[in-house]
Amino acid sequence: MQSWTLEPELVFKLQSLQLRAERIVDGFITGQHHSPLHGSSIEFAEHRPYSPGDDLRYLDWKVYGKTDRFYVRRFEDETNLACYAVLDSSESMAYAGPKAVASKWEYGKTLAAALCYLALRQRDAAGLVLFDSEVREFVRASNSPSQLGHVMAILDQAQAEQQSQIGNGLDLLAERIPQRSILFIFSDFLEDVESTMAGLKHLKHFRHDVRLVHLIDRAEIEFPFRRSIRFRGLEGKPSVVTDPRALRKAYLEQMNAFLKRIKQHCMSYRIRYELVVSDEPFDRAMSRILIGNGGQVSATGTFRE
Amino acid sequence: MKAYAIAVGFGNVAMLGWLAAVAIPIAIHLWNRRIRDEVPWATVDFLLAAERQNSRRIRLENLLLLLMRCCVLLLIVLAASQPYLESYRLSWTPGRRTLRIFVIDGSYSMDYRQGESSLFQLAKRDIAKVVEQSALGDQFCLFLIADPSHAVVGRPTLSAEGFLRELEYLRQPEGGGDLAGAIQLMQEFLQSPERQGSEVDYKQVTIYSDLGKPTWSIRAAASEKPHPAIDELVELSRDAPVTIVDLGSPARDNLAVVNLHLVSPVVTRHTPQSIIARLQNFGAVEHRQARVDLFIDGHVVQSRRVDVPAAGHAEVHFQHRFDVEGLHQVHVEFHDDLLPLDNHRYLVVQVEPQERVLVVEGQRRAGELLVHALEASVQTSESIDVTTIPAYRLREALSDEFSSVFLVDVPRFSTEEINRIGQFVEAGGGAVLFLGDNTQADSYNQLFALPETDAGVLTTKDNRLAGVELLGEREATNASFDPREYTHPIVQVFAGNENAGLLTTPVFKYHRLRMLGDSPRARAALSFTSGDPAIVTSPFGKGRVVLICIPPYAKQPQQPLAGVWSAWPAWPSFLPLVRESANYAVAGRNAQWNHYVGDPLQLSLPESATPIMCDVKIPAGGTHVFAATSEQSGPVLPDSVSSKSGFVTVKAKSSGTDVQPQEFALNLRTGESNLTAVPDAYVPEAISRIDLTSDPDSRGVSHASGPQSIVTLLVLGALALLLSETVLAGLMGRHAA
């Protein structure tokens, strides 16, 4: 059994997102025997016609000499692995429970940064997408040396404050990613499950490898409140005043039904699904996201291994 | 409807102030509702959905939990207040001194058995329980409804122990119940501050009774009414609330021996005697094959079985021959009854060698036919001894050895003779007076009125020998006897025997009598067809007087034919009428030995004897020494000797010499054998009524729950509620983290 050390309490002491990412990846790689991503490759794969903006270094001058046309060389890594961290930036992601170290948004940003850092470190192309009801930020996947700084800068400045329409956001995203990629979608998916699944189906249609990282706060799956509380709805939803102890059982039933439906839909569409609670050690979360360690969501939303 | 009084008392009333603590859960509930932290919440959709589905259930659960928490506090506070249920003992408040006046119905119907105990014992037990649970400072009194009613603890006592001791010694009397007397005693008690002793804050009367009709109602003009004393009780309840604890069950059957007598009033040796016991069924169910045993001098001699119809009676006939002269105990008993006291009847008979009759003739041969009739009317000539004397020897010859005296046409009486006749009859002798030619009305009227009698000699309240006045002779044409429905014992033998000559007896002349209206004891046994009485009877003391208005002869030889009184002496009705008159007159012969419970027992002793102490064997068992008090009529034993039914044997010790033992039979007055309870309406609403008949075994527990039992119940209830609240709250998710 592996012992996890990258507790959120420790990681979030680092102010810099990049440092956090490095720390996570370092810690994570140390525990692995080989790269979880299928490493970069320099083996030639195919040619494609040159288009403006392509790196001139990959122009195949020999082909130009023979055919008088510009072709760009494409390598195996380029064709098989472009990794996108797709992060839901809606307001609900900003929620942090009473005992949480960080919000789902902060936790998701850190995971996205770590993922990008890992990919770029392995010379794979990494991209970043922030979306809510539309695509707010889109950083095309690239393995250029400046990509990491670009991604980190965007993540640092991003805020979660808009209403979300996940399905719509994913639809728009599907149109903007040209090549087959691995998409890690970080979201709480607090949305109509059917419209979310429609967006995911759209992505699958383009043969992307879609992997859902369902971020959830521990308070949302345990509902630990006692006194009468006014629950202020986020993203324009109404408020509820209730006795949490009286409503806890019924609430948890609703929550578990929701989690179960998402998981069932993912299974039916062959989408990898991982439920990550925002107080989970990052290295374990990374492991589950990238490899899948058999961690399952229990009926109450807690993990067991 | 019966009124029930149930009240709650508290041993620590100050603790009730903590009842305000019941408001704490309510305050907490409201406080919790008021504090509203606000948190942002992402999954508010799920909350809304959950609330939509469960809002009503949550409200109900909250209310239920609130109620349970309030009840827990309520029960704990109540338990700490040491409450107890009061039923008939009513409102007791700590710090208030209560005078508890207990009254037990001591009429013998309270001996009715319920389970192992009698109602009287149950009442005592219940009173003991109330006294034991009373507060310090309470005072107790005890009265007994008996005949006569009396105070057992007449002065209030603060000592529960002393009161309980008195209560323990109290025994069931065997008489009736004088309700009016008991209420009068209580009234006098309540109106007399000095008798009540130290001041009390509250008075309370609790009466334990089976509410039997004989005690609680009266018969007036063939209709039944509530006893007037009940109104007095209502008056009394204004000063001290009255509660009646009803111990009688609604339907109680009872069979009683109401009479035991010998057919022949004079019992002679070697003569078969008919003994008749009468059984009365007071219930609504026929009693089949009731076994009745006859005891003579303590030994069973015969047994009979008899069916007694519902609300009817049956007579059991025994035959017995007494071979030894003297006093004998006759006792009948039947078995299997829930009121054992009235299953017995006792009789003392004096067996004599012969029936001794004194015939006093006012003129020679005036009683000749009478003597023939007397001798002919007995089974054997040896069984009767008739002594005939002239009138002037009356005073010296009339002694108690004679069972009866027949005065035939005695002209007049001296004062001494009047006194002697009065004493003879009062002591149980029979006097039969035949009026005739020589009868002088004024002298007879003196005799009837006993005017010259030394008042000290006679103990009878109505000191007239007979309530009649002699008016003089009256001629009649074709008169005869009128038996007046044959109701009198003397003429009952003629009922159904119209050919026996009674109705056809020719009467030509008779002495006219006037019945005095103020004397209820005088009764016409037989009349003439003219309406004038022919035979008048009157009890006097223990004996009886029979006055016959025609002589036992047709006419005296020296009288002209016109002076014929009647053809009666030659008529078939003569002999039976003489015999029946003689029997009736001497029926009180054994009366001196047979009494009712509570009657004073007077000893029959020679005048020379001066008894001081007596060895008395009493029905309760054992032989005790009693001092006989000397009354004007003779030495009388204390009342306590005659307090129980049964036989009393008295051996009086005169100075130096023992006299012959005397036997007395004491019987119940059987009125209380009727166990029917008065209707509920007889008890006014001003008087609380507790019915303890439905569950007699739990008496003193269910109705007199002690503080401990209720506190235990309350604590258990609070614990059960706490447990339920915890479980319920857990099920409702209130305690889960």
Side-chain angles (χ1 to χ4, degrees):
Chain A
M1 185 166 180
Q2 187 168 355
S3 65
W4 309 103
T5 55
L6 290 171
E7 295 292 338
E9 290 89 342
L10 296 173
V11 172
F12 282 107
K13 283 180 180 170
L14 300 171
Q15 292 295 318
S16 164
L17 190 60
Q18 186 168 340
L19 283 177
R20 289 183 208 164
E22 288 173 3
R23 176 72 186 274
I24 291 168
V25 171
D26 287 346
F28 169 65
I29 292 295
T30 307
Q32 304 295 323
H33 296 294
H34 54 83
S35 171
L37 296 174
H38 298 288
S40 66
S41 170
I42 55 169
E43 289 180 27
F44 173 75
E46 60 180 4
H47 286 98
R48 67 169 172 80
Y50 171 79
S51 60
D54 284 344
D55 196 337
L56 291 176
R57 287 180 297 175
Y58 299 116
L59 271 175
D60 195 330
W61 298 108
K62 289 179 181 175
V63 174
Y64 176 72
K66 292 177 183 176
T67 62
D68 202 19
R69 291 185 181 178
F70 292 110
Y71 283 91
V72 180
R73 284 173 294 181
R74 297 194 69 184
F75 298 92
E76 192 69 32
D77 60 340
E78 264 193 313
T79 55
N80 289 340
L81 184 63
C83 172
Y84 280 91
V86 181
L87 184 58
D88 179 2
S89 63
S90 64
E91 190 186 3
S92 66
M93 286 290 286
Y95 175 73
K99 292 182 180 175
V101 177
S103 65
K104 292 182 282 184
W105 169 246
E106 286 296 328
Y107 192 89
K109 275 201 314 184
T110 307
L111 275 181
L115 191 68
C116 289
Y117 175 74
L118 177 64
L120 290 169
R121 181 172 157 162
Q122 294 181 165
R123 299 176 190 279
D124 292 327
L128 175 69
V129 178
L130 300 181
F131 76 102
D132 40 54
S133 57
E134 55 191 68
V135 176
R136 295 288 173 191
E137 296 288 347
F138 182 83
V139 179
R140 183 180 294 277
S142 165
N143 57 359
S144 69
S146 61
Q147 181 75 347
L148 183 62
H150 187 43
V151 167
M152 293 299 169
I154 288 174
L155 281 175
D156 266 339
Q157 291 172 8
Q159 297 291 327
E161 53 193 14
Q162 298 295 322
Q163 291 189 17
S164 67
Q165 287 182 354
I166 296 174
N168 191 44
L170 293 180
D171 277 342
L172 294 172
L173 178 63
E175 301 297 332
R176 294 186 63 174
I177 299 179
Q179 72 221 67
R180 184 170 158 267
S181 306
I182 303 176
L183 304 182
F184 291 91
I185 303 175
F186 298 90
S187 173
D188 53 12
F189 299 105
L190 294 178
E191 192 66 34
D192 174 40
V193 176
E194 306 305 327
S195 89
T196 301
M197 296 319 294
L200 291 173
K201 276 167 69 180
H202 198 172
L203 288 171
K204 287 289 286 183
H205 178 71
F206 289 99
R207 301 184 62 204
H208 295 301
D209 181 1
V210 180
R211 302 181 183 189
L212 293 197
V213 180
H214 194 163
L215 291 173
I216 204 100
D217 191 275
R218 186 156 295 280
E220 290 172 333
I221 53 170
E222 291 186 352
F223 206 60
F225 307 101
R226 287 175 178 275
R227 295 178 180 174
S228 276
I229 291 177
R230 179 189 296 277
F231 292 94
R232 179 167 51 79
L234 300 176
E235 301 182 26
K237 289 176 181 170
S239 296
V240 178
V241 178
T242 190
D243 176 2
R245 290 172 300 180
L247 215 57
R248 181 174 184 271
K249 190 178 172 190
Y251 165 81
L252 291 181
E253 284 173 1
Q254 293 281 337
M255 173 57 92
N256 283 330
F258 164 71
L259 296 175
K260 194 174 173 185
R261 275 174 65 205
I262 285 194
K263 193 170 183 181
Q264 280 178 342
H265 276 94
C266 288
M267 284 175 68
S268 62
Y269 295 131
R270 296 178 182 276
I271 296 171
R272 261 179 71 178
Y273 172 89
E274 289 297 336
L275 180 71
V276 175
V277 183
S278 60
D279 59 359
E280 192 174 347
F282 280 105
D283 43 354
R284 186 169 75 171
M286 287 291 287
S287 172
R288 290 172 56 224
I289 292 165
L290 296 173
I291 304 165
N293 65 350
Q296 295 175 345
V297 182
S298 72
T300 57
T302 54
F303 282 95
R304 53 189 164 81
E305 295 186 24
Chain B
M1 286 290 291
K2 293 177 180 176
Y4 297 95
I6 303 290
V8 179
F10 293 97
N12 188 353
V13 79
M15 284 302 295
L16 289 177
W18 285 95
L19 280 176
V22 174
I24 292 174
I26 301 171
I28 292 173
H29 179 76
L30 294 174
W31 183 253
N32 277 340
R33 285 173 64 98
R34 286 176 63 85
I35 296 175
R36 288 173 183 169
D37 293 339
E38 183 173 290
V39 294
W41 191 247
T43 56
V44 79
D45 287 343
F46 302 148
L47 269 181
L48 283 169
E51 195 178 58
R52 269 197 303 275
Q53 291 172 5
N54 297 282
S55 59
R56 178 176 290 181
R57 177 185 61 82
I58 289 168
R59 267 203 302 276
L60 280 175
E61 286 175 357
N62 280 339
L63 272 177
L64 185 60
L65 284 176
L66 179 64
L67 195 66
M68 291 175 89
R69 286 162 187 165
C70 290
C71 285
V72 167
L73 280 173
L74 181 72
L75 292 179
I76 289 172
V77 172
L78 285 177
S81 308
Q82 299 175 6
Y84 57 87
L85 286 180
E86 288 200 337
S87 46
Y88 37 87
R89 60 211 62 177
L90 288 180
S91 49
W92 173 77
T93 307
R96 249 183 17 166
R97 291 163 301 180
T98 305
L99 170 59
R100 297 173 185 275
I101 302 166
F102 298 105
V103 184
I104 304 184
D105 183 352
S107 59
Y108 74 80
S109 61
M110 288 284 285
D111 192 49
Y112 187 82
R113 303 294 154 133
Q114 274 194 344
E116 295 292 313
S117 307
S118 68
L119 300 183
F120 192 79
Q121 288 168 327
L122 290 175
K124 282 172 58 178
R125 210 175 297 158
D126 209 76
I127 290 173
K129 204 169 187 70
V130 174
V131 171
E132 284 164 1
Q133 292 173 359
S134 293
L136 279 175
D138 283 2
Q139 301 181 34
F140 314 101
C141 280
L142 180 60
F143 292 90
L144 188 69
I145 301 175
D147 192 14
S149 295
H150 60 274
V152 180
V153 180
R155 283 191 175 276
T157 177
L158 284 160
S159 164
E161 280 184 17
F163 181 86
L164 291 174
R165 213 175 303 123
E166 288 292 333
L167 184 69
E168 190 183 343
Y169 292 147
L170 183 64
R171 294 286 173 263
Q172 160 89 64
E174 296 189 6
D178 177 13
L179 182 65
I183 291 169
Q184 190 182 350
L185 277 176
M186 280 191 285
Q187 280 173 331
E188 290 169 5
F189 171 77
L190 289 170
Q191 289 162 7
S192 163
E194 57 274 12
R195 282 182 65 189
Q196 292 179 31
S198 59
E199 198 171 317
V200 292
D201 304 308
Y202 188 74
K203 297 166 192 165
Q204 181 188 328
V205 177
T206 310
I207 301 174
Y208 291 79
S209 174
D210 61 355
L211 290 173
K213 277 187 177 178
T215 302
W216 291 84
S217 66
I218 55 164
R219 285 207 148 269
S223 66
E224 189 185 81
K225 291 179 180 174
H227 200 293
I230 295 176
D231 294 335
E232 300 290 322
L233 201 59
V234 174
E235 280 290 318
L236 189 142
S237 70
R238 290 179 187 153
D239 189 20
V242 177
T243 302
I244 294 177
V245 181
D246 184 2
L247 296 159
S249 51
R252 291 185 293 168
D253 288 334
N254 183 38
L255 204 62
V257 189
V258 295
N259 188 268
L260 175 65
H261 69 276
L262 274 69
V263 172
S264 172
V266 180
V267 183
T268 54
R269 241 177 357 184
H270 307 308
T271 310
Q273 299 293 330
S274 288
I275 302 170
I276 301 174
R278 181 184 170 114
L279 272 69
Q280 179 76 38
N281 187 348
F282 292 95
V285 179
E286 182 185 13
H287 207 110
R288 298 186 67 82
Q289 294 295 298
R291 196 186 107 189
V292 185
D293 294 333
L294 172 70
F295 295 77
I296 302 291
D297 296 325
H299 303 287
V300 181
V301 293
Q302 288 175 54
S303 288
R304 296 268 191 281
R305 288 198 178 271
V306 64
D307 295 337
V308 190
H313 69 272
E315 288 189 340
V316 187
H317 293 256
F318 299 97
Q319 285 283 329
H320 185 74
R321 196 175 64 183
F322 295 92
D323 294 327
V324 180
E325 62 184 275
L327 295 172
H328 293 269
Q329 296 177 347
V330 181
H331 169 205
V332 291
E333 177 185 5
F334 85 93
H335 307 270
D336 305 330
D337 192 81
L338 290 175
L339 179 57
L341 270 179
D342 61 6
N343 293 353
H344 305 262
R345 202 76 186 171
Y346 308 92
L347 184 69
V348 169
V349 295
Q350 184 167 28
V351 178
E352 296 170 274
Q354 288 178 312
E355 178 183 356
R356 297 202 60 193
V357 178
L358 180 67
V359 175
V360 183
E361 293 179 323
Q363 57 183 304
R364 207 167 68 83
R365 299 185 64 189
E368 189 176 11
L369 295 174
L370 172 68
V371 173
H372 289 317
L374 286 170
E375 289 176 343
S377 63
V378 295
Q379 292 178 351
T380 58
S381 58
E382 291 80 23
S383 62
I384 191 165
D385 174 26
V386 182
T387 305
T388 305
I389 59 165
Y392 67 88
R393 289 187 56 206
L394 171 63
R395 184 167 165 270
E396 64 185 64
L398 183 57
S399 74
D400 291 339
E401 293 175 3
F402 294 102
S403 60
S404 57
V405 59
F406 286 74
L407 302 162
V408 184
D409 198 15
V410 177
R412 57 185 305 113
F413 303 96
S414 67
T415 304
E416 292 78 13
E417 287 169 343
I418 289 172
N419 277 344
R420 184 68 198 106
I421 294 170
Q423 287 170 7
F424 176 79
V425 179
E426 191 190 22
V432 182
L433 286 78
F434 288 90
L435 308 181
D437 292 331
N438 302 311
T439 300
Q440 295 180 14
D442 57 339
S443 183
Y444 273 79
N445 285 335
Q446 282 180 9
L447 172 68
F448 299 150
L450 291 171
E452 302 299 327
T453 301
D454 180 0
V457 175
L458 298 170
T459 56
T460 310
K461 286 179 186 172
D462 184 356
N463 63 357
R464 289 178 300 191
L465 193 65
V468 294
E469 185 185 6
L470 195 53
L471 301 176
E473 295 178 11
R474 181 173 184 175
E475 300 285 340
T477 53
N478 294 327
S480 60
F481 292 134
D482 176 4
R484 311 182 85 181
E485 308 292 334
Y486 302 100
T487 54
H488 198 281
I490 288 180
V491 294
Q492 274 176 359
V493 290
F494 293 98
N497 297 308
E498 282 73 16
N499 295 327
L502 184 70
L503 304 178
T504 57
T505 307
V507 178
F508 311 110
K509 190 169 68 169
Y510 57 87
H511 278 278
R512 193 159 166 246
L513 284 179
R514 185 166 72 90
M515 310 279 290
L516 298 177
D518 61 344
S519 178
R521 295 183 293 121
R523 181 180 171 197
L526 189 67
S527 296
F528 295 111
T529 46
S530 59
D532 291 323
I535 298 178
V536 173
T537 62
S538 180
F540 183 77
K542 293 170 188 160
R544 290 167 175 176
V545 176
V546 178
L547 191 60
I548 300 175
C549 296
I550 52 176
Y553 51 79
K555 78 171 187 64
Q556 287 297 306
Q558 67 274 21
Q559 293 290 335
L561 193 61
V564 172
W565 289 85
S566 69
W568 181 43
W571 219 254
S573 61
F574 181 67
L575 193 144
L577 265 182
V578 166
R579 184 68 254 170
E580 292 303 318
S581 297
N583 281 351
Y584 182 81
V586 300
R589 178 69 175 165
N590 288 316
Q592 61 180 312
W593 317 117
N594 294 288
H595 300 269
Y596 289 108
V597 170
D599 287 351
L601 299 185
Q602 186 177 340
L603 299 177
S604 177
L605 295 168
E607 286 183 11
S608 59
T610 52
I612 302 171
M613 306 300 287
C614 305
D615 288 333
V616 183
K617 189 177 176 185
I618 59 174
T623 301
H624 304 266
V625 178
F626 287 96
T629 54
S630 185
E631 301 287 336
Q632 288 171 339
S633 56
V636 175
L637 289 169
D639 290 346
S640 56
V641 175
S642 59
S643 62
K644 289 186 78 67
S645 57
F647 293 110
V648 173
T649 306
V650 182
K651 194 171 182 185
K653 297 173 180 173
S654 63
S655 56
T657 56
D658 288 351
V659 297
Q660 198 66 21
Q662 297 181 41
E663 302 276 357
F664 296 93
L666 294 168
N667 284 302
L668 299 172
R669 288 184 167 87
T670 52
E672 284 286 334
S673 293
N674 183 357
L675 301 181
T676 312
V678 293
D680 291 348
Y682 279 25
V683 180
E685 288 188 356
I687 299 171
S688 304
R689 183 167 166 181
I690 309 284
D691 187 353
L692 296 189
T693 55
S694 54
D695 192 8
D697 292 335
S698 66
R699 183 174 296 121
V701 178
S702 63
H703 294 272
S705 300
Q708 202 56 45
S709 61
I710 297 183
V711 168
T712 308
L713 279 177
L714 288 173
V715 170
L716 286 176
L719 287 174
L721 270 179
L722 266 178
L723 189 66
S724 307
E725 193 270 345
T726 307
V727 172
L728 201 61
L731 288 174
M732 294 173 183
R734 300 296 199 280
H735 286 176

